Amino acid sequence: MSGNKTEPKCKNSMTAAPLENLVRRSEVLRLIRKFFEERGFIEVQTPVLSADTIVDRFVEPVAVHNETLPLTHRNDRQYFLQTSPEFAMKRLLASGMTAIYQITPVFRSGDRGRFHNTEFTMLEWYRVGDDYQTGVHFLAELVKFITANISFSEKNINTDFSFATYRNVFECHTGINPHTATAAQLKQTAERFQVPFPDSFDDNTHKDEWLDLLFSELVQKHLRNFIVFDFPASQSQLATTRLIKEDGEEYYVSERFELFLNGLEIANGYNELLDAEELRRRFRSIAEQRQADGKKPLPLESRLIKAMEAGLPPCSGTALGIERLLMYLLKADSIDEVMAFTIDKA
């Protein structure tokens, strides 16, 4: 054999992401685990397939037919690939665990685009005793730790976060208070800024739909390094709410926060709701909205509700999209650049 050995070339076109990005992805995951281990968190694994699922108006889970399950486990319940490990992780907290994190695949039906894939990777964590503000600053600390320690960065990534309420950023770019504005006023704002909206949108359209439209079109692109908190109470999901009194006005806000980097939502956190009956009420309300939208019903009872009735301790939790964080760190234009195989290559 000749000494002029030619190294085989990898067919990089077989993967969605360049191979060097997959190596960098591995490094980020190692840093995440180091961060949490140094702070006393335990890594957990919970089921990806469950009879429970989060009831959300806009997030559709991937359903799995009973025929795919072992004969001994078939019943009249539908099973779902999880959109988040939240339910199972909170059951662990109710069982006595105090600081846990998980890196897991999650699934959302129909999601595919520049920032979306049906299957993606979520980092989620909870710590008993953390309050709303602790959760906000812990999230900022995590991102700063990763950006300070990765080997592939030019060290010019800005992590000097701005902290602002939803009202502050919304008013700044629309001139209207999102908490007290009516649907009719939000429609007028869309018209004033020439924001296109569906023909079906009118003065009777649910206020959250107008808020989501205006936030995505007029506000979000300006959020370069922001953690936004105090979302509208109607967008609470599984978060607590509190009353705000300012400027002669009163309104409730959700103790929810989101991290935005370069205008892209990266993470979403809550001061966690502890009231099982309130969770039932919210799920019933969302179920009515889903029915009006013509979507399939989802189970309103869950093992989480039973665990909350037994006692869920006060805690804060956050979910972070691994691929979106990697897009920011690698300055990628598409989720395809940070995943081994997207749904079309899976």
Side-chain angles (χ1 to χ4, degrees):
M1 294 284 294
S2 167
N4 297 326
K5 185 177 179 181
T6 302
E7 293 292 335
K9 293 183 178 180
C10 178
K11 295 181 179 179
N12 205 26
S13 61
M14 295 175 63
T15 62
L19 295 187
E20 58 266 27
N21 283 359
L22 300 182
V23 174
R24 291 164 175 169
R25 177 188 176 110
S26 178
E27 180 182 343
V28 170
L29 294 177
R30 286 197 303 273
L31 285 172
I32 288 171
R33 288 188 165 95
K34 182 181 183 200
F35 176 87
F36 282 99
E37 287 165 9
E38 288 179 350
R39 287 154 182 79
F41 281 70
I42 296 173
E43 183 172 9
V44 298
Q45 288 182 300
T46 57
V48 172
L49 183 67
S50 174
D52 291 340
T53 187
I54 293 174
V55 181
D56 189 286
R57 182 177 181 184
F58 302 109
V59 176
E60 200 67 29
V62 176
V64 177
H65 296 292
N66 259 332
E67 288 75 12
T68 65
L69 300 174
L71 287 173
T72 53
H73 288 73
R74 292 184 189 176
N75 51 45
D76 60 353
R77 299 191 72 175
Q78 178 71 71
Y79 285 77
F80 304 91
L81 294 175
Q82 295 302 284
T83 60
S84 161
E86 180 169 1
F87 278 21
M89 292 184 76
K90 286 182 176 177
R91 288 167 60 193
L92 291 177
L93 297 179
S95 298
M97 297 188 112
T98 58
I100 56 177
Y101 79 100
Q102 180 168 190
I103 301 171
T104 183
V106 291
F107 303 81
R108 298 186 180 182
S109 180
D111 279 2
R112 180 67 179 112
R114 181 182 170 194
F115 304 116
H116 300 91
N117 189 63
T118 304
E119 178 182 352
F120 59 101
T121 310
M122 184 174 287
L123 163 66
E124 192 151 333
W125 67 90
Y126 297 86
R127 187 163 60 181
V128 172
D130 280 4
D131 60 16
Y132 187 33
Q133 293 302 320
T134 305
V136 168
H137 291 287
F138 190 88
L139 170 60
E141 183 185 357
L142 168 65
V143 178
K144 289 181 179 181
F145 176 86
I146 295 169
T147 56
N149 289 282
I150 51 177
S151 64
F152 53 85
S153 168
E154 297 86 359
K155 302 297 182 183
N156 61 350
I157 297 177
N158 181 14
T159 52
D160 293 328
F161 297 116
S162 297
F163 300 86
T165 65
Y166 185 99
R167 175 180 177 175
N168 288 157
V169 296
F170 198 95
E171 272 189 332
C172 177
H173 298 289
T174 67
I176 190 169
N177 182 343
H179 301 290
T180 58
T182 64
Q185 290 171 325
L186 293 170
K187 178 186 176 185
Q188 292 170 3
T189 302
E191 293 170 338
R192 176 160 53 91
F193 284 93
Q194 298 183 332
V195 174
F197 55 85
D199 293 338
S200 60
F201 276 34
D202 56 28
D203 293 355
N204 297 315
T205 298
H206 195 283
K207 180 177 170 178
D208 276 340
E209 295 189 61
W210 283 112
L211 289 175
D212 287 345
L213 174 69
L214 294 174
F215 190 89
S216 63
E217 292 294 325
L218 300 177
V219 181
Q220 191 167 332
K221 60 187 176 184
H222 299 288
L223 304 179
R224 309 299 293 174
N225 289 77
F226 267 85
I227 294 182
V228 178
F229 56 96
D230 284 358
F231 277 66
S234 55
Q235 299 178 18
S236 297
Q237 304 289 51
L238 280 78
T240 56
T241 59
R242 76 175 189 281
L243 180 64
I244 297 289
K245 297 181 180 181
E246 60 182 2
D247 301 331
E249 298 175 318
E250 292 188 5
Y251 53 87
Y252 282 88
V253 297
S254 167
E255 294 190 319
R256 169 185 171 188
F257 53 92
E258 290 191 358
L259 167 65
F260 293 88
L261 297 174
N262 289 344
L264 182 64
E265 180 199 344
I266 305 294
N268 183 28
Y270 300 151
N271 201 32
E272 300 296 341
L273 178 69
L274 307 179
D275 186 337
E277 192 52 44
E278 171 62 13
L279 182 59
R280 280 196 179 95
R281 187 198 67 77
R282 292 184 189 181
F283 279 177
R284 286 195 295 267
S285 176
I286 295 171
E288 292 172 359
Q289 293 171 353
R290 287 179 59 88
Q291 183 178 15
D293 294 339
K295 294 181 179 179
K296 294 180 180 179
L298 296 174
L300 299 183
E301 286 294 319
S302 69
R303 293 183 176 91
L304 170 62
I305 290 180
K306 292 181 174 62
M308 289 173 67
E309 289 174 335
L312 178 66
C315 58
S316 176
T318 305
L320 181 148
I322 294 292
E323 283 81 13
R324 289 193 174 190
L325 177 61
L326 285 163
M327 286 181 63
Y328 173 72
L329 295 174
L330 294 169
K331 300 179 180 178
D333 292 325
S334 167
I335 196 171
D336 298 46
E337 298 176 52
V338 297
M339 299 185 73
F341 303 106
T342 47
I343 188 64
D344 46 299
K345 292 179 179 286

